[in-house]
Amino acid sequence: MLLECLLALALLVAAGVTVLACLDRAADSVARRTQEVVASQVAAAAMALIDSGAMTPETVQGPASRLRDGVSVAGNWNIAVDTEPSEFGSLVLVTIRVFDAGRSAGGDQQALAQARKLVDLGAVRDRVVAPTQEAAR
């Protein structure tokens, strides 16, 4: 009878350890997915700033904290912006990648989020330059 009790206790401990390991992996997965969602929101905000003409691809690049003054950005994000000409005339393919700067221990790092869009940077610059020129008159 004592042997049966010890065997039952061992099975209970093994099942408990298995359940705790599964819960730990689930918590890690939720934390990672939350980071990916926030990073995709940062990428979408940066793309909207470029598309509206509020910022250029050059000024968006860098720490996400400088996107806008007074806006709290959760996390320590770095933004990388690449532009390349497209086959569609004046449209430029803008690629925004968002990295977690807190995990940049190594050299090559995987982007947590990416946004790609065709943007007419010439028209965006004209929209931004025209109102400033009229205001100067």
Side-chain angles (χ1 to χ4, degrees):
M1 184 144 134
L2 183 60
L3 184 61
E4 290 173 356
C5 286
L6 287 175
L7 183 61
L9 183 62
L11 286 174
L12 183 65
V13 168
V17 167
T18 303
V19 168
L20 287 176
C22 288
L23 287 175
D24 188 46
R25 277 186 287 189
D28 288 344
S29 177
V30 167
R32 185 175 52 251
R33 182 64 186 144
T34 301
Q35 272 196 324
E36 290 172 355
V37 167
V38 172
S40 68
Q41 290 173 344
V42 169
M47 185 64 78
L49 287 171
I50 292 172
D51 197 25
S52 70
M55 296 181 87
T56 65
E58 295 81 22
T59 58
V60 168
Q61 190 156 304
S65 60
R66 49 182 230 165
L67 284 181
R68 280 285 176 225
D69 294 333
V71 175
S72 173
V73 178
N76 193 11
W77 306 104
N78 276 339
I79 300 172
V81 181
D82 295 321
T83 57
E84 58 187 70
S86 71
E87 59 191 45
F88 303 108
S90 65
L91 296 177
V92 175
L93 180 63
V94 177
T95 304
I96 296 177
R97 293 185 322 274
V98 179
F99 301 95
D100 184 5
R103 293 192 305 166
S104 63
D108 196 24
Q109 181 180 339
Q110 182 85 14
L112 289 175
Q114 178 174 320
R116 295 173 57 126
K117 187 175 183 180
L118 286 169
V119 178
D120 189 358
L121 291 179
V124 167
R125 287 190 180 104
D126 290 344
R127 278 185 283 171
V128 172
V129 171
T132 31
Q133 287 178 349
E134 288 177 11
R137 291 182 191 172

